[in-house]
Amino acid sequence: MAVPLQANDILSKLSQSKTFLPVEQAFVPDFVQQDNALKLSFQIADGYYLYKDKFKIAGVAASFSHPTYPPGMSHEDEYFGKTEVYRHQVVLSIPLSNIDVDAKLKVRFQGCAEAGLCYPVTTIEIPLIQTKTSAAATDAVLAEMSAAPAAVAAEDNSQKSSAPVSQQTELAERLGQDRSLWTLGLFFLLGLGLAFTPCVFPMYPILTSIIVGQGQQLSTGRAFSLSMSYVQGMAITYSLLGLVVASAGVQFQAYFQHPAVLMGISVLFVLLALAMFGVINLQLPSSWAEKVGNISNKQQGGSAKSALVMGALSGLVASPCTTAPLTGVLLYIAQTGDMAYGALVLYVLSMGMGLPLLVLGSTGGKFLPKPGAWMDRVKAVFGFLLLSVPLLLLERILPTEVLVVLLTVLVLAFALFLHQTQQLLQKPVVKSLLWLLATVLVFSTLLLNQRFWWPTATPVATPTSVISNADTGKFIDIKTLADLDRELAAAKAANQYVMLDLFAEWCVACKEFEHITFADAGVKREMAKIRLLRIDVTKATDEDQQVLDKFSVLGLPTLLFFAPNGSELTQSRVTGFMPPAAFQAHLSSLNPP
């Protein structure tokens, strides 16, 4: 039996003109739960309408599948442009599972009056009853829907139940259901795993250069203080950017990958490297330096602030790396709007990423050589490492040929430096090791260039936006939502599942997917069974943004999966890099033989 919601208990009173209805009278919600199915309806007053794309649902102590929204009416809106709206009534069927005590759904919606008033976003909470799973009861509730939507919903739910659940979806659900210290500990461990990914690598030479740049033997406590300041700066920036991305979408992520930003950061690291080589001396004007020196003499660890700033810049370096743990947190924030707890989890995740950096920096002060000529040589080594950071950043915007040339010059210069260094040494063993390392670097670089510029039997594969899919197909490049609808219709006619790859040239993990996972033979066999689509959102055009907004994309890479009937399998969405074996299993579960 339907239980009407009490407006005073769920909706806040909205102060409006007497010519308009209060929001709770303009859009009257009602619901009925029968076992593991919830039917939610809104009675919409005449002259008012609800936006189809403004519905957002989040579960607390319960899992759910997103409903299949019935078709809306086309409407040219003065606030949001051309969109779909509901008038008079809309009914949604929401499948439920894992319902715990005190479970509830949070439903967010927004509507307007045709007379010219647009209501603010409104959220209601629907209490759920803990029940046992009953397929018969669920079918009974679905049967109350109109014939056409019922058929679509039943088919969609059946396909979703058999589809694989991605890691980020599981993590988002865990955050919504369990806020214990165990959950925070899990995300700390996940962050520790992320510390060994390519996006975090540039932070190691940055931190070690800060330690070496002190030019003196540091105590363990002093080294720990500098390292902690650096890690805190990185964690704060990474957490704040995560909150912004969850609120503003993937376009904010793309802003920090603009060529001007990447080149500006690269120039900064080149200057820092030149300072390590002693070519330039980065310091304040003498009048400023004297004042700063007087202040620093009164403090212990005066360079902790600079370490904090460098850590904050390093957080920008890692920002384009979207992973399953990060996406799980962003998905939780986007669904629930719980910014405070989301920020806490992001900070814990970041501290896990920073733990190896903290250990490296803290021990660096203890094991670095004493001041002298050796220290200058050590600083030069880290100068070369700092020069590698711009190559990692500019990989997202420079042609591969240019990167190969720059990398060759850098490696050969480092090999020459090692050769000169070994000539100054007295111990035969150390001289031999440095000579061997320099020789290996030279021959490896020559071999790389020979294979890249003068391929022999098998050409070296170069980056491309179209990848072969076994012998039966390939990625189909599309651009707009209209293109996607056309391809989904073709897939429906052929009874095919669909995978849509959203990528950008600045996305490091996208290239890892392309050259590692998609190139795997086992993955190719699984991909041959489905229709493959790809959209390049590098230029962030209006059409690109429409696609990202349509599917509420939080970061790249993102892989969307669609059932043969055209509905998205939201729980199967993959965000962030996934190695070949795991991705092959994911595809196999999606489309079993």
Side-chain angles (χ1 to χ4, degrees), residues 98-250:
N98 303 323
I99 304 174
D100 293 334
V101 179
D102 297 328
K104 57 187 175 182
L105 283 186
K106 294 183 178 180
V107 181
R108 192 168 60 179
F109 60 91
Q110 186 177 19
C112 289
E114 293 179 350
L117 175 69
C118 192
Y119 294 86
V121 174
T122 307
T123 302
I124 61 173
E125 292 185 358
I126 301 174
L128 301 178
I129 302 172
Q130 188 176 26
T131 62
K132 296 182 179 180
T133 303
S134 172
T138 301
D139 293 340
V141 173
L142 293 176
E144 296 181 16
M145 307 292 291
S146 58
V152 175
E155 181 183 0
D156 183 47
N157 292 332
S158 173
Q159 288 161 337
K160 286 185 177 181
S161 63
S162 61
V165 179
S166 60
Q167 183 184 11
Q168 60 264 21
T169 302
E170 293 178 345
L171 292 174
E173 291 179 354
R174 182 185 180 104
L175 283 173
Q177 298 172 8
D178 183 6
R179 296 192 175 191
S180 66
L181 292 177
W182 289 108
T183 297
L184 293 178
L186 170 64
F187 276 87
F188 182 84
L189 292 177
L190 292 172
L192 181 60
L194 297 179
F196 303 99
T197 58
C199 278
V200 183
F201 169 76
M203 298 185 188
Y204 291 97
I206 296 172
L207 176 58
T208 49
S209 66
I210 292 175
I211 302 298
V212 174
Q214 297 301 303
Q216 58 182 349
Q217 180 69 15
L218 297 178
S219 66
T220 302
R222 169 75 167 153
F224 176 83
S225 175
L226 291 173
S227 303
M228 178 58 78
S229 297
Y230 178 86
V231 171
Q232 288 298 312
M234 180 271 295
I236 292 172
T237 299
Y238 199 72
S239 300
L240 292 178
L241 284 177
L243 292 178
V244 173
V245 170
S247 303
V250 73

Side-chain angles (χ1 to χ4, degrees), residues 162-164 495-497 526 528-530 564 585-593:
S162 61
N495 194 32
Q496 283 183 305
Y497 281 83
E526 293 298 330
K529 304 175 184 178
I530 62 180
H586 190 78
L587 292 178
S588 179
S589 300
L590 170 76
N591 191 19

